[in-house]
Amino acid sequence: MKSVPFSKLCPGGNPTILVTGPVDPSDIPGISARLMNPLHVFAEQVGVVRLSITPHLQMMGGEFCVNATRCAAFWLALQNRLLWNGTFWQGEITVSGATGSIDLAVSGDAKTLHSALGGISQGRENTAGEKQEYGSLAPDSGEMPALLYCAARMPCDVSSDGERAGATLDVVEDGAVLVSLSGISHLLLDKRAHNMPADWKNSTRAWRKKVGIHTLPASGVIWYEADQTRTRIYPAVYVRDTDCEHMETACGSASLALALVLKNAAGLGMDVSLAADAFGACGLNVTQPSGENLTIFLETSPLTNGFGKNSQHGIYLPPAAWVSGPVRLVAEGIAYL
């Protein structure tokens, strides 16, 4: 019998297991499949996190996952590996499927965090102070917080040296847009043009082959609704190395993909009507199947008046975007395999 330490967290849905002890990389897919099983710990995804000079998160299929990264931010906060800047806790992590490090932000208060991220996304630096000492988020009682608001910063454009892949948006057909991000690609389907069938797995399999994403380490087929009253996603995400697909209860990268699509509705020739303040300092709220919201803040590029350096045909590619929302600690302990 093999034992592994783990933490189970819920980032606005999308139950995630973080294995927090050493694991041979070749064993990650098998261990993940066992842990995700409904007769075991059960989750929608698994990642292995390790502490080093810059902590690293290795996902079960080598993919990139925003929500798992936000879960890792929670765990790093409990390990006293984040720095207090006067407004929120911050740090960085490397993640499979992503080039370079990912910035993290954590707070116990959503309003405070989102106000700061809104300012940063609009080009205003956090003025609360310089980074300070590492410290613990736990109160004096020593009890761990059950809920924190955690954000991860996703690069979206292409770096000047061309080493960092960015986002691309391609119209497949009416109501269907393929969004390719670093580490994962999503096909966005407008539910008004493409109904979500009861037999969704056959549908997603056909769509993935049609647009050529079926061989990628991770990909999603995302049905969405967007109008002046709500923005909602229904994400089906497939991971190649574990050969598993879930109709996930939340998806951070799909929420970001939808934000990019809606921001570029005009340039993509789409007829999407959103409230005028949908993209503002308050960010864009995307409702998940769980009923929770994830908030997306698209950053402004000061060099190009808001458009990424490699934008074409009026496509908006922000330098980066923050994905933020609640993360709940569900369980910690030892799993037996």
Side-chain angles (χ1 to χ4, degrees), residues 39-63:
L39 298 180
H40 209 275
V41 179
F42 179 66
E44 293 177 357
Q45 59 189 7
V46 175
V48 177
V49 62
R50 69 169 184 263
L51 295 175
S52 55
I53 296 176
T54 299
H56 180 73
L57 173 64
Q58 184 69 30
M59 291 303 295
M60 58 189 186
E63 76 276 18

Side-chain angles (χ1 to χ4, degrees), residues 168-173 176-180 187 268:
T168 61
L169 283 71
D170 297 291
V171 176
V172 176
E173 60 181 68
V177 181
L178 179 61
V179 181
S180 299
L187 178 67
L268 295 170

Side-chain angles (χ1 to χ4, degrees), residues 144-166:
M144 292 187 295
L147 170 66
L148 292 173
Y149 293 88
C150 304
R153 183 179 183 268
M154 277 284 294
C156 295
D157 67 352
V158 176
S159 62
S160 58
D161 57 13
E163 291 185 357
R164 187 181 71 226

Side-chain angles (χ1 to χ4, degrees), residues 195-330:
N195 289 327
M196 189 171 76
D199 186 10
W200 56 269
K201 281 195 174 183
N202 280 336
S203 179
T204 59
R205 187 180 302 113
W207 274 112
R208 286 192 176 90
K209 288 185 177 180
K210 179 176 181 179
V211 300
I213 60 175
H214 58 292
T215 60
L216 297 179
S219 59
V221 176
I222 318 298
W223 284 270
Y224 72 87
E225 298 172 322
D227 55 35
Q228 291 184 346
T229 60
R230 67 176 178 176
T231 305
R232 182 183 293 268
I233 61 169
Y234 304 87
V237 178
Y238 176 75
V239 177
R240 183 191 61 200
D241 287 358
T242 54
D243 191 26
C244 66
E245 183 177 26
H246 293 284
M247 184 61 71
E248 294 190 339
T249 49
C251 185
S253 58
S255 300
L256 168 57
L258 178 57
L260 293 174
V261 167
L262 297 180
K263 188 69 173 180
N264 289 288
L268 295 170
M270 298 167 55
D271 179 20
V272 176
S273 177
L274 285 176
D277 63 349
F279 291 90
C282 59
L284 174 71
N285 287 326
V286 180
T287 303
Q288 310 298 303
S290 65
E292 300 270 11
N293 284 334
L294 294 184
T295 306
I296 315 300
F297 298 90
L298 301 181
E299 292 189 358
T300 297
S301 171
L303 299 177
T304 56
N305 196 28
F307 284 79
K309 290 187 284 291
N310 66 330
S311 63
Q312 297 178 357
H313 311 299
I315 299 300
Y316 180 93
L317 293 176
W322 287 92
V323 180
S324 182
V327 177
R328 291 176 175 82
L329 179 64
V330 175

Side-chain angles (χ1 to χ4, degrees), residues 9 21-22 44 56 65 72 82 101 112 120 133 150 153 164 176 205 252 255-257 269 310 334 336-337:
L9 303 103
E44 293 177 357
H56 180 73
C65 177
L82 300 182
S101 59
T112 298
I120 292 171
E133 295 295 326
C150 304
R153 183 179 183 268
R164 187 181 71 226
R205 187 180 302 113
S255 300
L256 168 57
N310 66 330
I334 302 295
Y336 299 99
L337 305 173

